[in-house]
Amino acid sequence: MPDYTGCFAARPDVATAWIALASAVRTTMERRRFELVTIASARARGSAYCTAAHAKLLIDACRDEPTLRELATDPGGGQLTPVDAAVYRFAAKVATAPASVEQGDVDDLRALDLVDSEIAEVVYAVGVRLFFATVLDALGARVDPEIAAAFEEDLLAFVRVLPQVAETGS
């Protein structure tokens, strides 16, 4: 059983509802883009569990290890295609500072031929990921050994992100 299952032991109905929502979002997005958006938002929020799981899906389900290697070399997405890089950066921004998204951010995506529904799908995918990552991280889920073992050392270093801890005032 994946480690995250214990996080929903007290409320399996919440897990069921999340699965339905995530499925609804994922069905309208191209799978590879969904995985890129998920990786961007998980990394931006410091969720090693979600980053690792979806990096593995990028390799296994999308057959796209080269993109993961590009991200491992440049975690900011600078080696990706212009569209992928823009979507990746936008997803990270939505994950970390959603209120800072401006019309210019949307216009930049439109200039790369993304339509409004595709831009909204990115935002939906980030929102779905943040719920799951928040629950897993706050309740202590750890990357499953089987997932970690699937990565070579350079890729494992990429997926082992550290959570960004908010500073508290004294």
Side-chain angles (χ1 to χ4, degrees):
M1 294 266 278
D3 194 52
Y4 76 83
T5 57
C7 297
F8 293 97
R11 292 292 308 273
D13 58 317
V14 173
T16 300
W18 179 84
I19 289 167
L21 179 60
S23 295
V25 169
R26 192 173 46 246
T27 59
T28 59
M29 277 183 95
E30 186 263 328
R31 178 65 184 260
R32 183 179 169 281
R33 179 171 289 166
F34 178 82
E35 299 307 338
L36 277 177
V37 167
T38 299
I39 292 166
S41 56
R43 274 190 59 79
R45 289 293 294 268
S47 176
Y49 195 107
C50 291
T51 300
H54 289 274
K56 187 163 177 4
L57 285 169
L58 183 65
I59 292 171
D60 294 346
C62 302
R63 306 273 184 237
D64 192 3
E65 186 173 330
T67 294
L68 188 60
R69 291 199 173 281
E70 290 170 352
L71 288 170
T73 301
D74 182 356
Q79 291 188 359
L80 301 176
T81 67
V83 171
D84 286 347
V87 167
Y88 188 84
R89 286 190 297 269
F90 181 72
K93 184 174 189 175
V94 171
T96 56
S100 73
V101 172
E102 299 175 341
Q103 186 62 48
D105 298 313
V106 173
D107 292 342
D108 290 346
L109 293 171
R110 286 180 180 152
L112 294 167
D113 294 328
L114 272 77
V115 297
D116 289 346
S117 61
E118 292 172 308
I119 296 166
E121 287 172 352
V122 170
V123 174
Y124 301 150
V126 171
V128 165
R129 178 57 34 211
L130 294 184
F131 170 79
F132 202 69
T134 300
V135 170
L136 270 55
D137 293 340
L139 295 178
R142 300 289 174 238
V143 175
D144 298 307
E146 301 81 25
I147 292 175
F151 296 107
E152 295 173 14
E153 195 57 41
D154 59 331
L155 297 179
L156 188 59
F158 171 76
V159 301
R160 281 190 177 150
V161 296
L162 297 175
Q164 298 176 7
V165 179
E167 292 184 29
T168 57
S170 322

